Amino acid sequence: MQNISLLSMIWNRYLWWLNWRSGRMTIETAVVQQSEAKRWATVAVVTGCGIGAALQVGKVPIAAAMLQQDLGIDLAAVGTIAGIFAVLGLIGSVPAGVVIAAVGARRVLLCGLAAITLGAASGALAPHLAVLLGSRLLEGLGFLLVMVSAPALLNRVVDVGARDITMAVWSCVIPFGIALALVAGPMFDGWRAIWWASAAFAAVLFVLASGIVPEVASRTGPTRAGLMQEATALARRRTPALLMVLFGLYSLMFFAVFSFLPILLTERLGVSSQSAGGLSALAAAANVVGNLAAGNLLARGVSRPLLIAVAAVVMGASAVGIFLPVLGGQGAFILCLLFSATGGLIPATLLATAPAAARSAAMVPVMMGLLMTGSNFGQVTAPIAVGAVVSAWGWSAACVMVVAAAILADLAAWLLARGDHNSVSEARDPA
């Protein structure tokens, strides 16, 4: 009897242990699932913040005719409204990356959303062009802070194996935001209503980001005192410099076409402003196809410089048919779709390469700042230059600038292929 009691006690203990272990595993599984859900909620909100920032870029092209009529300005002035948005980013992207590395990406993201909200609201109240230009500078500051901090957050949140596809998705935010503005813009009575709506959207994103996005601490890296020194050394290296140049050339080509695409389509196709907005949105959305395709091709091991070079050739060739009256309006629009879709390969490839090119986790925001410096160069120069040359010599003159940028992009891709791109491609986790 004593033996039976002992066996019974052991059996009961065993059953208790099984139940305890099962309960523990269930709790651990729930914690993992909850953590995974929070991770992807963060990714979704951060991506939404990028779309909200990009919306500020796309609202000017669709409001161009309204701005001309209400403020009595020409196309060159509209180009200035579009281009001045990126002036601060041209000189402040790298310092913004250093600030992010020092104080945290979440704080900078929230500051960026607040600046966008304030800038858009003040622009809606602007009585004349000078005040509107000042408000666009504030919007541009917010855009800069969001576009540099958000990729740094994503780089921390997602696993290393998901980085390429995540950055490919992130590269969709600018064309998607522009497309959203182009589709929604004609629904409003005037440009001031568009500005108010964009301010409200940014404010909602601020609330969501405040509640969902966590602060992610840096794993390793230099002390704050050494950040600027490390950033300077990064900018002087061959691969980061080439990535920055390539992003600048891509941005120049893209915004040379899309800064005035609704007006171009209205003049070439003779469609209404609302139809031109829808067609322009479709062309901008085509860029997403290239963004996502790049993530898939990179996962399959396709050469990064090759993707960039092929996309640049197609963009340059397409620009000839877009700006020169050789194919007619419908042919020009088909080329806009090809230009945008193929061009999407470039930013996705550059953004996926940037974390490895940084070589350390602390320098990823700085590397993103370098890319944004290139991007803002294109955003500043393209609208102003195209607006000026079209006003002086017509649409055909804009073709020369895009073709020249495509040739330079191919040269930069060739230099990247001859440099240390292999080590960049293979470096999966900057520590």
Side-chain angles (χ1 to χ4, degrees):
M1 291 291 293
Q2 185 176 3
N3 290 335
I4 294 174
S5 298
L6 179 63
L7 290 173
S8 176
M9 182 179 68
I10 293 173
W11 176 251
N12 288 334
R13 290 283 184 180
Y14 176 69
L15 290 177
W16 177 87
W17 179 81
L18 284 178
N19 290 332
W20 174 83
R21 179 176 173 80
S22 175
R24 181 183 178 188
M25 291 181 66
T26 301
I27 293 172
E28 289 178 348
T29 302
V31 169
V32 170
Q33 291 176 344
Q34 184 179 14
S35 177
E36 195 70 12
K38 187 174 182 180
R39 171 186 299 181
W40 291 112
T42 299
V43 171
V45 171
V46 171
T47 302
C49 292
I51 293 172
L55 186 73
Q56 317 307 317
V57 181
K59 68 186 182 184
V60 174
I62 196 60
M66 304 176 194
L67 288 165
Q68 285 181 292
Q69 183 177 3
D70 187 45
L71 299 178
I73 57 178
D74 60 9
L75 202 60
V78 174
T80 302
I81 295 173
I84 199 172
F85 177 86
V87 167
L88 290 178
L90 188 59
I91 59 176
S93 294
V94 173
V98 175
V99 170
I100 290 167
V103 305
R106 179 180 181 272
R107 295 179 185 177
V108 176
L109 178 72
L110 293 176
C111 288
L113 292 170
I116 290 173
T117 302
L118 182 59
S122 59
L125 296 171
H128 47 74
L129 179 61
V131 177
L132 180 59
L133 291 175
S135 72
R136 288 290 286 171
L137 282 173
L138 186 55
E139 288 180 30
L141 173 62
F143 176 83
L144 160 66
L145 296 178
V146 170
M147 300 306 288
V148 176
S149 61
L153 276 168
L154 293 176
N155 182 61
R156 288 297 189 194
V157 170
V158 300
D159 293 329
V160 175
R163 180 179 295 147
D164 282 351
I165 189 63
T166 302
M167 288 304 173
V169 172
W170 168 254
S171 67
C172 299
V173 300
I174 290 183
F176 190 88
I178 292 174
L180 180 61
L182 292 171
V183 169
M187 300 178 185
F188 295 91
D189 294 333
W191 68 269
R192 295 183 189 276
I194 296 174
W195 259 245
W196 279 120
S198 67
F201 189 34
V204 170
L205 290 169
F206 179 90
V207 174
L208 289 174
S210 298
I212 295 176
V213 177
E215 183 60 83
V216 184
S218 178
R219 296 180 191 133
T220 59
T223 62
R224 292 189 181 185
L227 283 171
M228 187 56 74
Q229 183 179 358
E230 290 287 328
T232 302
L234 176 69
R236 289 176 177 173
R237 292 211 310 267
R238 176 189 180 94
T239 296
L242 285 173
L243 295 178
M244 178 183 68
V245 169
L246 282 165
F247 216 125
L249 292 170
Y250 162 77
S251 181
L252 191 150
M253 290 187 286
F254 183 85
F255 286 102
V257 173
F258 280 89
S259 292
F260 302 103
L261 187 57
I263 293 178
L264 174 63
L265 292 177
T266 300
E267 294 185 3
R268 294 284 298 274
L269 290 175
V271 298
S272 65
S273 60
Q274 186 164 359
S275 297
L279 292 174
S280 299
L282 179 61
N287 194 254
V288 174
V289 176
N291 298 148
L292 299 178
N296 183 266
L297 292 171
L298 291 174
R300 295 173 180 268
V302 177
S303 167
R304 298 171 189 238
L306 178 62
L307 282 178
I308 295 168
V310 169
V313 168
V314 175
M315 290 180 79
S318 300
V320 175
I322 292 171
F323 288 112
L324 298 181
V326 293
L327 295 178
Q330 292 182 350
F333 179 69
I334 291 173
L335 287 179
C336 285
L337 295 175
L338 179 63
F339 175 94
S340 179
T342 309
L345 295 171
I346 297 178
T349 301
L350 296 175
L351 287 166
T353 305
R359 295 189 183 177
S360 75
M363 287 294 102
V364 170
V366 180
M367 185 64 240
M368 293 301 175
L370 285 173
L371 291 186
M372 287 306 300
T373 298
S375 176
N376 282 288
F377 171 80
Q379 288 188 57
V380 170
T381 57
I384 295 174
V386 170
V389 300
V390 170
S391 295
W393 298 294
W395 290 108
S396 299
C399 173
V400 177
M401 184 171 65
V402 179
V403 171
I407 294 172
L408 291 174
D410 280 313
L411 176 60
W414 178 76
L415 291 173
L416 187 67
R418 290 179 59 86
D420 58 350
H421 72 279
N422 288 328
S423 63
V424 169
S425 299
E426 293 166 4
R428 304 297 302 160
D429 186 18

